[in-house]
Amino acid sequence: MYPRSFEYVSPGSLDEATSVLASTEGAKVLAGGMSLLPLMKLRLFSPDVLVDIGRIPGLSSIEDRGDHLAIGAMVSHAATASDSSIAEHAAALATAASWTGDVQVRNQGTTCGSIAHADIAADQPSAALALGATMVAASAGGVREIAASDFFVDTLTTALGPGEILTEVRIPKQGGASAYEKLGRRGGHTDYAVAGAAVWLDVSDGAVSSARVALTGVGAKPTLAEGVAEALIGTDGSDAAIAEASERALEGVTVLDDLFGTVEYKAHLAKVMTRRALQQAVAAAT
Amino acid sequence: MGGGFGVSTTSVLGGVVKRREDPALIRGTGLYVDDLQLPGMLHVAFVRSPYAHARVVSVDASDAEAMDGVRAVYTAADVAHLGDLVTQVAVGKLRPLLAGDKVNHLGEAVAMVVADSRYGARDAADAVDVEYDPLDPVIDLKEAASDAALVHEDMESNVLLAWEGGPWGDEEAIAATQQTIADAKGRDDTVSVSIEAVNQRLLPMPMEPRSVVADWNVGYGRFTVHSSTQIAHALAGGIAQTFGLSLTDVRCIAPEVGGGFGCKLNVYNDEILVCFASQQLGRPVKFTETRRDAAGSTIHGRGWVATATITGTADGQILGYELDGIADMGAYSQNFTVAIPFLGLFVGAGQYTFPTHWKVACVHTHTMTTDAYRGAGRPEAAYYLERAIDAFAREIGVDPAEVRRKNFIPADSFPGAATHIGFPMDTGDYETNLDALLETAGYEDLKAERDRLRAEGRLVGLGLATYVEVCGFGPSALVDLGFSWAAYKIPSGFSGSGLVRVQADGTASVIIGTGPTGQGHQTTWAQIVSNQLGIPVENIRVSHGDTAESPLGIGTFGSRSAAVDGSATYEAANKVRAKAADLAAHLLEASADDIVFADGGAHVAGSPDQQVSWSDIATLAYQPHRLPEGMEGGLEAHAVFSPGNATWPFGSHLALVEVDGDTGDVKLLRYIAMDDCGNVINPMIVDGQIHGGLAQGIGQAMFEDGDYEADGNLLKWSFVEYPLPTSADLPSFELHRTVTPTDINPLGVKGIGEAGTIGSAQTVVNAVVDALSPLGVTHVDMPLRPKRVWAAIQAAKTNGSVS
């Protein structure tokens, strides 16, 4: 559990951080370190330079900006899980954050870090995807926004370039309701997800008017289950309609097996979690 | 139920005394081995095999040796003169200190790198170039037992021996037992039910990984070795034996030890190798396991596959029990290895009367060594027995509690009761204990509630299991069965000792031969001494773990420390008390027979006003010129206690679970335990031990899986892949006791360290199988992770047995 030798820099500003990243080959951003440091200790990943963004002012707040919430790069899972505006406008993310790791991990690890790391078994990436989040990436060349649906590229791979820092995640205040369900590796909600589903939907005039569903843990990356949304929109959101729509959860997804789930089992769980999350969201939206 | 001694209100035995070691542990002021920094200390990393089975073609350490800060790289040839790892039960292939021309399990050490820093040592280990020629490994237990391929080409068979009984060692009598069971099976009115089950391999994973620092002092010709070990004296002896030294040439210190569970009840090759390196380099040398080292290279537990068969009549009378199994020893035998299933044999028939034929073969495979892990052979034995009884009860439709009650050894068989292998048991009252559990839990109400929920379609289950344990080893006569510890220069390891010294100011030092890995010795031993002397607990300090000062005690394992070394300390305290009575009599000008110890001092019976304090008594003891003629100065005593038997705790456990039929998720709703460990010295510590034991047994039942892949890979390098139970996964345990004191030691205590583990895995599995029984499920192998439970539900549905 001893990493290879590396350099450590602790910039005092975002500009300094992005300029270090731009000028240094093999540099990696360190936020909470809850995923990065174990990989380094196992020598599975050995960056030459760690750029610690923990001392940069202004990255630790959750802001309500009228039409969206902005979650800064250093906001911990615990802060995301307990923030009242996130609970109101992004319940799926609050729940996902509350089920991430354990108390120590939630106090040290960050929501943006979990999203940037993009572990397929992590909870918050799919919540961000279902909520239609926008990722804000800063680099020496400027700032750009990336839609969540474009952000997750492959296993542990995002659209972030080597010189970019995920400075905040923006969640639209879009009405409706959202929910997250998972089955953890130790059962219940503890530990990494074997499979999970995040959903957001809106209901008007007794019918589901819009919906997004994203899956945790089943494919190579957090994935939008567009077939489910398509099947659900226009229905009354009844248990029967939800059950039918949930059957389409795996359209376009190649399910991968691991120590905790066979392909068959995870495929089944994805549907169950989708159904349960949708039922909660419909109940909350109506 | 209560518990404890029920003695006078001044007694501290049986009372809650908060753990005196906790302030240091909680505040971080306890010293663990890895905290130790010695001047000039060097660090070790091992080059480990990435293959389960391979020829080592070459080892090229030239790049590593050329790196800055690298002091040495050692390979097998460098340490060949030291022989194989010193091993107590030397049956099977013994471990080479470093692998030579072959590696026989993943993670086997091939080379040792010594460097100025632990980071540098790791970098250099990565730079050692080892060329391997991979071979097919033998992993599967049945394949290993068939000898289709040999694990070690110079051995005739992979099967080392088979433990068979009962009785034990009498082939004619064993054949007669087999015939009795065969006759029962042949009857028209009997039913036989079999279960084939895996008792999966587990990784001990104490919170503190193992760590050792060796320091060879060339001037004194002496090793000082700090190690995170359960057996400091045996380690000292093992090092002495290996290096041709005397016991006084090796001082071993086990400081704070952060959990052991049996995995630190071994002398390890790394402990010998750091001694070698220190001697070679003239510097202190430290090795601290990484979690990855711990997963692959510290001993594992369990690892059995077996078929258990119960034969009995429809009214629940059991006429025969058979166990036919294979136990995985791994590639090399270490301290106890082949003896672990032997402990299972002791309690193979549990606390029951029925004829039992029990046979478990011990086989080598290309995996890490197995050895003692909390319960060590007894959880496996209890698991098969209690799963089979449950399956039999279900088959005949009789309440599982009733089946057990019907077959218990009756309370009036004591004294004189014996196990199926003919070993005498101390005390027991199994029916009273079971009845107490059922009444306390409200068993009938729970069954009614389960049935009501089941009628609603919910998968709710109740699981019951009972157990008897053998622990508190003793007796010293185990030496005659071959458990002598002679390999570690200890002629008989199964007695205990304690030293009680009243200091000149009237406080007391207690020095014991065994040390804790979390059991609370500093509190429990202070209570024992306080109870005998009347010196307040806060004026007693307990020391342990330094072989230079502590009397010989073999270690804390097998739930033995309180029963054996605690009893020795009790007797030492009584010797001190007798002398103190003489001293007090001298001060009070009275007869020693009339001295009463109370209120932190002594007085003459009937004259409590004229009290002398322990300080007064001790002051006299350390002023020999004032003593009466013929009395020696000082106030201390040492005692050795040699128990005439092991102890036999027992208990009954009940679990309530609900299974989510859609996901296979098991929720443990209630866990109720009725344990009987004899007298209870400190109820809080006993409860804590049960908490931990239950968590580990439930961990096996629900979460943990240390089995190797078919190719010999072990995909469990961290807690991401090897989930352990946490408090978040467990209900608040409901603990109760019956108290049946043992008669083989003066404290009447039996031991409680392992009982929770021995009783719990099958309790949970019985409950889950009960929950799934409406679907036709009769068995699910551990761990009951959601994917496996769901697969069992799917299989049952596919089989069309859904009601």
Side-chain angles (χ1 to χ4, degrees):
Chain A
M1 302 292 178
Y2 306 115
R4 292 191 181 89
S5 175
F6 59 90
E7 279 182 54
Y8 170 86
V9 292
S10 178
S13 71
L14 204 52
D15 283 349
E16 195 187 332
T18 52
S19 91
V20 172
L21 284 173
S23 61
T24 315
E25 190 88 357
K28 184 77 183 171
V29 174
L30 172 70
M34 293 293 91
S35 300
L36 178 57
L37 296 186
L39 288 173
M40 290 171 63
K41 288 179 171 187
L42 289 166
R43 300 196 167 204
L44 295 172
F45 182 60
S46 298
D48 297 320
V49 181
L50 283 189
V51 181
D52 184 353
I53 60 171
R55 288 182 178 78
I56 299 173
L59 297 181
S60 300
S61 61
I62 299 168
E63 289 176 23
D64 187 336
R65 296 190 187 142
D67 65 342
H68 70 270
L69 304 177
I71 301 169
M74 289 305 299
V75 170
S76 68
H77 306 308
T80 299
S82 61
D83 182 83
S84 58
S85 61
I86 291 180
E88 185 183 349
H89 300 290
L93 186 65
T95 304
S98 76
W99 292 343
T100 299
D102 53 28
V103 172
Q104 291 94 326
V105 167
R106 288 195 289 276
N107 283 332
Q108 176 70 23
T110 63
T111 288
C112 285
S114 176
I115 289 169
H117 183 58
D119 190 318
I120 65 162
D123 303 300
Q124 293 172 81
S126 62
L129 192 52
L131 288 162
T134 299
M135 316 303 177
V136 179
S139 68
V143 174
R144 67 173 178 137
E145 297 180 4
I146 309 167
S149 54
D150 297 327
F151 186 77
F152 300 105
V153 175
D154 204 344
T155 304
L156 303 181
T157 307
T158 68
L160 286 175
E164 286 186 313
I165 300 171
L166 178 60
T167 56
E168 67 183 38
V169 172
R170 294 177 184 164
I171 311 284
K173 288 165 70 176
Q174 55 199 326
S178 67
Y180 184 65
E181 261 298 340
K182 79 187 259 196
L183 181 74
R185 290 177 177 176
R186 299 203 307 275
H189 301 128
T190 56
D191 216 326
Y192 282 101
V194 181
V199 305
W200 168 83
L201 52 78
D202 203 359
V203 176
S204 66
D205 299 331
V208 177
S209 54
S210 48
R212 276 188 300 270
V213 177
L215 303 179
T216 300
V218 289
K221 59 175 184 172
T223 307
L224 277 175
E226 288 171 358
V228 178
E230 188 183 296
L232 194 67
I233 291 169
T235 71
D236 59 358
S238 65
D239 284 356
I242 286 171
E244 194 181 331
S246 299
E247 286 302 308
R248 294 180 61 181
L250 294 159
E251 284 177 10
V253 178
T254 303
V255 181
L256 304 174
D257 73 338
D258 59 35
L259 279 176
F260 300 88
T262 59
V263 169
E264 184 193 11
Y265 178 54
K266 292 215 291 189
H268 168 77
L269 275 185
K271 295 174 188 174
V272 174
M273 295 302 136
T274 298
R275 173 164 52 79
R276 291 179 179 181
L278 285 172
Q279 284 169 340
Q280 286 180 38
V282 166
T286 49
Chain B
M1 290 300 112
F5 289 70
V7 290
S8 76
T9 52
T10 57
S11 172
V12 291
L13 286 185
V16 168
V17 175
K18 284 189 182 173
R19 282 165 42 98
R20 304 176 71 219
E21 39 276 88
D22 283 347
L25 300 182
I26 290 168
R27 296 167 72 176
T29 59
L31 180 93
Y32 293 85
V33 175
D34 195 53
D35 294 326
L36 197 65
Q37 301 294 340
L38 296 179
M41 189 169 73
L42 303 175
H43 298 265
V44 159
F46 287 98
V47 179
R48 297 191 183 279
S49 170
Y51 297 103
H53 189 203
R55 287 194 197 287
V56 179
V57 178
S58 63
V59 181
D60 179 359
S62 52
D63 286 351
E65 285 166 335
M67 291 169 76
D68 277 352
V70 173
R71 301 289 171 154
V73 180
Y74 298 109
T75 59
D78 300 310
V79 293
H81 63 287
L82 297 175
D84 290 331
L85 178 61
V86 59
T87 301
Q88 182 192 169
V89 185
V91 176
K93 180 67 78 179
L94 305 189
R95 177 178 293 278
L97 294 174
L98 290 168
D101 54 3
K102 257 183 84 180
V103 287
N104 289 301
H105 68 86
L106 192 80
E108 183 170 1
V110 176
M112 171 172 67
V113 175
V114 190
D116 288 349
S117 79
R118 57 180 60 180
Y119 294 88
R122 184 71 262 155
D123 289 342
D126 285 353
V128 174
D129 186 16
V130 184
E131 189 185 336
Y132 297 95
D133 179 10
L135 302 166
D136 288 336
V138 178
I139 304 296
D140 180 76
L141 284 180
K142 290 178 183 173
E143 188 191 323
S146 77
D147 282 336
L150 290 174
V151 173
H152 299 288
E153 54 208 1
D154 56 346
M155 290 178 70
E156 288 180 3
S157 172
N158 298 324
V159 182
L160 304 180
L161 54 81
W163 297 110
E164 186 174 12
W168 181 52
D170 181 341
E171 286 181 20
E172 255 178 56
I174 290 171
T177 303
Q178 286 181 282
Q179 190 57 52
T180 302
I181 297 171
D183 291 347
K185 285 171 137 175
R187 280 166 47 173
D188 293 340
D189 63 340
T190 59
V191 179
S192 287
V193 179
S194 287
I195 281 185
E196 181 177 4
V198 174
N199 199 282
Q200 81 274 23
R201 185 183 280 254
L202 300 177
L203 315 185
M205 294 292 194
M207 196 183 296
E208 180 209 16
R210 294 187 310 101
S211 181
V212 56
V213 178
D215 187 10
W216 171 252
N217 186 314
V218 69
Y220 283 109
R222 186 191 205 198
F223 278 118
T224 299
V225 179
H226 285 76
S227 180
S228 177
T229 181
Q230 292 173 247
I231 46 170
H233 284 280
L235 176 59
I239 292 167
Q241 184 80 1
T242 303
F243 292 90
L245 301 169
S246 74
L247 286 174
T248 56
D249 293 335
V250 184
R251 176 187 182 192
C252 280
I253 300 166
E256 307 286 8
V257 179
F261 315 119
C263 83
K264 295 172 180 173
L265 164 53
N266 245 274
V267 173
Y268 281 90
N269 58 337
D270 47 59
E271 291 172 311
I272 302 294
L273 288 165
V274 293
C275 289
F276 168 77
S278 178
Q279 210 172 37
Q280 292 293 306
L281 301 170
R283 300 270 288 270
V285 178
K286 178 191 277 186
F287 170 64
T288 298
E289 284 185 329
T290 63
R291 194 52 77 181
R292 193 180 173 104
D293 288 320
S297 311
T298 280
I299 64 100
H300 296 165
R302 320 279 190 264
W304 293 19
V305 57
T307 299
T309 306
I310 292 277
T311 300
T313 54
D315 64 351
Q317 197 67 49
I318 295 174
L319 301 174
Y321 171 56
E322 298 152 283
L323 185 79
D324 185 9
I326 307 167
D328 196 343
M329 302 294 102
Y332 302 109
S333 296
Q334 291 193 188
N335 183 31
F336 278 127
T337 305
V338 297
I340 299 306
F342 181 55
L343 291 173
L345 173 64
F346 270 77
V347 291
Q351 63 280 60
Y352 302 108
T353 55
F354 38 74
T356 296
H357 178 248
W358 199 98
K359 185 175 183 183
V360 171
C362 300
V363 304
H364 275 321
T365 59
H366 287 116
T367 62
M368 179 58 201
T369 301
T370 62
D371 206 301
Y373 172 61
R374 202 169 192 171
R378 291 151 290 170
E380 298 92 315
Y383 179 76
Y384 287 106
L385 175 62
E386 292 291 312
R387 283 289 302 120
I389 290 179
D390 230 53
F392 171 71
R394 191 173 308 287
E395 177 73 22
I396 62 172
V398 175
D399 187 286
E402 187 53 32
V403 172
R404 287 176 171 88
R405 183 185 288 111
K406 200 164 245 176
N407 293 281
F408 278 152
I409 296 170
D412 63 12
S413 297
F414 293 93
T419 68
H420 73 119
I421 61 167
F423 209 93
M425 302 163 86
D426 55 356
T427 56
D429 185 351
Y430 309 123
E431 188 167 357
T432 297
N433 177 268
L434 174 62
D435 288 344
L437 172 74
L438 301 183
E439 191 188 327
T440 304
Y443 184 58
E444 292 305 322
D445 292 344
L446 282 173
K447 281 201 295 184
E449 176 73 358
R450 172 199 63 188
D451 294 343
R452 189 183 67 73
L453 294 169
R454 192 172 276 175
E456 292 176 8
R458 289 169 63 177
L459 299 174
V460 175
L462 265 179
L464 174 72
T466 63
Y467 70 90
V468 67
E469 176 189 0
V470 56
C471 67
F473 305 101
S476 305
L478 277 174
V479 64
D480 300 330
L481 297 180
F483 301 107
S484 73
W485 299 81
Y488 309 130
K489 304 191 77 154
I490 297 171
S492 173
F494 291 103
S495 53
S497 60
L499 190 155
V500 177
R501 174 181 299 148
V502 178
Q503 304 285 1
D505 61 359
T507 60
S509 299
V510 181
I511 311 175
I512 57 178
T514 66
T517 57
Q519 292 86 354
H521 288 46
Q522 293 183 28
T523 307
T524 304
W525 265 252
Q527 287 182 265
I528 292 169
V529 172
S530 178
N531 193 65
Q532 295 317 107
L533 301 184
I535 297 175
V537 163
E538 56 269 25
N539 286 354
I540 300 172
R541 192 171 288 276
V542 179
S543 308
H544 48 72
D546 183 346
T547 61
E549 67 165 15
S550 67
L552 178 62
I554 194 57
T556 296
F557 59 85
S559 307
R560 65 182 297 281
S561 221
V564 184
D565 295 77
S567 295
T569 306
Y570 170 91
E571 294 191 342
N574 284 347
K575 289 186 186 178
V576 167
R577 180 187 169 108
K579 181 165 184 183
D582 287 340
L583 294 167
H586 184 62
L587 288 172
L588 294 165
E589 296 176 351
S591 161
D593 295 340
D594 297 330
I595 296 296
V596 174
F597 289 92
D599 304 325
H603 61 262
V604 178
S607 307
D609 298 347
Q610 286 185 300
Q611 173 96 351
V612 292
S613 68
W614 271 98
S615 170
D616 299 331
I617 296 168
T619 299
L620 176 61
Y622 291 100
Q623 290 180 331
H625 61 283
R626 288 174 55 207
L627 290 170
E629 186 106 359
M631 189 181 283
E632 280 182 26
L635 189 50
E636 67 180 70
H638 170 242
V640 171
F641 180 72
S642 176
N645 191 354
T647 58
W648 303 77
F650 52 92
S652 310
H653 291 186
L654 190 68
L656 179 69
V657 303
E658 179 163 10
V659 177
D660 181 337
D662 248 358
T663 64
D665 189 15
V666 175
K667 189 170 261 182
L668 182 56
L669 300 172
R670 288 183 69 186
Y671 198 98
I672 309 151
M674 184 70 68
D675 293 296
D676 193 323
C677 59
N679 284 338
V680 169
I681 297 172
N682 185 326
M684 183 189 272
I685 283 179
V686 165
D687 285 353
Q689 290 270 31
I690 299 171
H691 283 163
L694 292 179
Q696 271 172 308
I698 294 167
Q700 176 171 25
M702 295 180 65
F703 305 121
E704 299 177 44
D705 179 2
D707 281 343
Y708 285 76
E709 304 300 299
D711 64 359
N713 205 348
L714 180 69
L715 302 176
K716 289 91 189 203
W717 296 118
S718 76
F719 297 128
V720 174
E721 300 88 11
Y722 191 84
L724 291 170
T726 71
S727 55
D729 305 309
L730 302 168
S732 183
F733 298 133
E734 300 166 55
L735 305 187
H736 306 277
R737 274 189 270 286
T738 57
V739 177
T740 310
T742 182
D743 55 7
I744 68 114
N745 66 56
L747 293 170
V749 300
K750 289 190 169 185
I752 194 62
E754 298 162 288
T757 312
I758 292 168
S760 51
Q762 57 275 17
T763 303
V764 173
V765 177
N766 285 349
V768 171
V769 171
D770 183 52
L772 301 180
S773 62
L775 304 174
V777 173
T778 56
H779 179 68
V780 189
D781 267 332
M782 303 184 288
L784 301 175
R785 288 184 189 162
K787 89 167 177 183
R788 189 169 279 173
V789 174
W790 182 78
I793 294 169
Q794 297 311 111
K797 285 180 176 171
T798 308
N799 291 341
S801 50
V802 189
S803 56

